[in-house]
């Protein structure tokens, strides 16, 4: 079961990175967006990221300029974009990276189930929802996995590969092999809330936000403490801005609704307020911090 052609649905923060690493891994990739403007934005990000990686390789002496230019052209040449779902019909694998909303994802997979070839494997990049529910909606639960990449996809080396009780063993192995071809270390996970990373990471982010909301310490001090005290690359409030406050809120709302008795899952007051104000983090220029493009303002 070889994955040669990949469809990626959603070309936002995560989707554009998945498009890129799949192409870097040698696959032909079709990116599907709901609107042309969003597609252009996502593919523009791919262009900037490829240029950055190429110039770093030249700086480090890993490639000369001609080889770097050829690598960019070859990788980009494997990527195309579309706003027509039907263009994914002959893909071997379709990875979903749209908004963290279970109903919207289920509806998407039900539609994909109608148009994709029978052998195609489906995968969701969900941060928190049950893979089994989307698998059931797709009409092909045995050919369904979770493929959970990390932000920024181009730099983070992990992919969680999630199986349900119904996932076919060969499908699971093909998904792990695809993750490895994308340059990631695959870890196997069961279909549990947040899999491994988010089950640990999101409650930690909640604790940091609660600490800020109580006035126990400033956001800068909380972040500095975890960066220098624990050696984390960024503090939890910077990380929340990085992930997106909307995505973080959707994860927590889904969990508090589904597991009301779990004390690790709660929605902090400031998270709800900032999202209502449209302050979604780095992507909108303000969240817990103000941002100027990729850097803090
Ligand atoms: N493509 C290419 N290059 C990129 C890039 C991209 N997408 N993003 C950043 N870079 C480059 C930067 O331009 C920079 O280049 P220069 O050195 O030439 O300036 C270089 O990579 C390093 O970036 P930064 O200067 O921003 O500095 P950094 O050393 O802090 O590295 C980081 C950035 C890798 C993001 C690091 O801060 C980090 O690991 N942060 C934690 C991220 C994390 O925890 N992610 C998981 C989030 S949770 C999740 O994803 C799951 C979920 O479901 C919510
Ligand atoms: P995002 O808002 O940046 O991107 C979502 C994209 O999907 C948008 O560009 C939107 O136009 C597009 N879209 C929405 N509905 C669509 C449809 N029906 N067809 C085609 N395109 C559609 O969100 P994101 O941060 O990239 O998150 C995407 C998924 O990845 C979510 O499930 C999220 O939980 C998960 N995830 C996010 C992170 C993170 O750090 N942000 C990390 C890992 C996983």
């Amino acid at each position: 079961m070889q994955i040669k052609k990949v469809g990626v649905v959603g070309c936002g923060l995560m989707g554009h990175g998945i498009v890129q690493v799949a192409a870097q891994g040698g696959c032909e990739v079709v990116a599907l967006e709901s609107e042309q403007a969003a597609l252009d934005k996502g593919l523009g990000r791919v262009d900037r990221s490829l240029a950055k990686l190429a110039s770093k390789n030249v700086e480090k002496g890993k490639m000369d300029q001609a080889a770097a230019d050829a690598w960019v052209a070859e990788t980009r040449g494997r990527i195309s974009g579309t706003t027509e779902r039907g263009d994914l019909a002959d893909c071997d694998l379709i990875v979903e990276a749209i908004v963290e909303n279970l109903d919207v994802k289920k509806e998407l997979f039900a539609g994909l189930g109608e148009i994709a070839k029978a052998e195609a494997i489906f995968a969701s990049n969900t941060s928190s929802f049950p893979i089994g529910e989307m698998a059931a909606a797709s009409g092909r639960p045995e050919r369904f996995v979770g493929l959970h990449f990390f932000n920024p996809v181009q730099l983070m080396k992990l992919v969680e590969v999630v199986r349900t009780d119904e996932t076919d063993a060969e499908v699971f192995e093909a998904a792990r092999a695809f993750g490895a071809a994308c340059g990631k270390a695959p870890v196997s996970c069961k279909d549990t809330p947040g899999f491994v990373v988010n089950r640990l990471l999101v409650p930690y982010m909640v604790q940091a936000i609660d600490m800020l909301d109580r006035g126990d310490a400033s956001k800068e001090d909380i972040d500095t403490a975890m960066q220098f005290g624990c050696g984390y690359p960024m503090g939890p409030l910077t990380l929340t801005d990085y992930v997106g406050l909307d995505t973080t809120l959707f994860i927590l709302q889904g969990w508090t609704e589904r597991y009301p008795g779990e004390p690790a899952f709660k929605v902090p007051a400031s998270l709800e307020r900032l999202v209502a104000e449209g302050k979604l983090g780095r992507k909108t220029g303000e969240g817990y911090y103000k941002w100027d493009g990729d850097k803090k303002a």
Side-chain angles (χ1 to χ4, degrees):
M1 202 180 292
Q2 246 214 322
I3 292 169
K4 292 189 179 149
K5 184 167 182 181
V6 179
V8 178
V9 189
C11 200
L13 195 58
M14 295 303 291
H16 89 277
I18 299 170
V19 165
Q20 183 176 329
V21 296
Q24 288 174 206
C27 294
E28 189 188 336
V29 188
V30 186
L32 171 68
E33 258 291 349
S34 40
E35 286 179 15
Q36 190 62 42
L39 182 61
D40 293 343
K41 189 175 168 198
L43 294 181
R45 283 168 122 169
V46 171
D47 289 336
R48 286 193 296 283
S49 175
L50 284 174
K52 180 94 203 174
L53 295 176
S55 76
K56 284 208 133 182
N57 280 331
V58 173
E59 252 171 53
K60 288 183 187 159
K62 288 187 183 168
M63 284 179 183
D64 63 20
Q65 191 60 52
D69 291 346
W71 176 77
V72 171
E74 219 175 278
T75 308
R76 187 63 177 84
R78 293 191 197 107
I79 300 171
S80 61
T82 184
T83 55
E84 297 294 328
R85 194 179 280 180
D87 289 341
L88 303 190
D90 64 344
C91 288
D92 304 310
L93 168 71
I94 300 179
V95 185
E96 166 275 315
I98 65 169
V99 64
E100 188 71 351
N101 178 309
L102 186 57
D103 289 337
V104 178
K105 286 181 191 288
K106 279 161 76 173
E107 194 184 317
L108 172 77
F109 279 116
L112 290 172
E114 312 238 308
I115 61 115
K117 65 181 180 185
E119 320 85 87
I121 297 174
F122 288 171
S124 173
N125 184 53
T126 182
S127 299
S128 61
F129 289 122
I131 299 299
E133 286 200 26
M134 289 175 271
S138 75
R140 53 179 85 183
E142 68 292 342
R143 306 196 70 75
F144 204 111
V145 290
L147 271 174
H148 187 218
F149 289 87
F150 292 81
N151 178 22
V153 179
Q154 292 90 342
L155 304 186
M156 303 307 284
K157 293 190 167 55
L158 181 71
V159 63
E160 292 178 322
V161 188
V162 186
R163 72 195 315 165
T164 71
D165 290 344
E166 293 185 82
T167 308
D168 183 278
E170 267 188 60
V171 166
F172 186 69
E173 282 317 313
R176 281 183 60 97
F178 168 73
C182 291
K184 308 302 171 196
V187 295
S188 302
C189 298
K190 289 187 180 168
D191 190 13
T192 56
F195 319 123
V196 174
V197 171
N198 283 348
R199 182 66 178 82
L200 297 170
L201 184 67
V202 176
Y204 152 72
M205 289 155 77
V206 166
Q207 287 299 312
I209 298 170
D210 272 351
M211 195 176 266
L212 177 71
D213 288 356
R214 287 194 303 268
D216 293 350
S218 70
K219 61 190 174 201
E220 291 84 1
D221 283 349
I222 294 169
D223 277 353
T224 302
M226 292 312 290
Q227 255 191 297
F228 296 156
C230 292
Y232 289 3
M234 51 173 67
L237 297 157
T238 303
L239 184 61
T240 308
D241 274 6
Y242 211 79
V243 165
L245 273 59
D246 50 347
T247 300
T248 309
L249 180 64
F250 297 151
I251 293 169
L252 287 164
Q253 284 173 334
W255 283 350
T256 50
E257 195 182 318
R258 207 174 271 266
Y259 311 100
E262 172 53 67
F265 303 155
K266 58 168 291 207
V267 178
S270 64
L271 184 68
E272 217 162 18
R273 177 174 47 77
L274 288 167
V275 172
E277 290 169 6
K279 293 173 182 163
L280 308 184
R282 197 173 62 138
K283 61 183 162 188
T284 57
E286 188 171 353
Y288 285 97
Y289 293 91
K290 290 204 166 113
W291 293 82
D292 182 9
D294 281 353
K295 305 273 173 211
K296 280 185 193 155

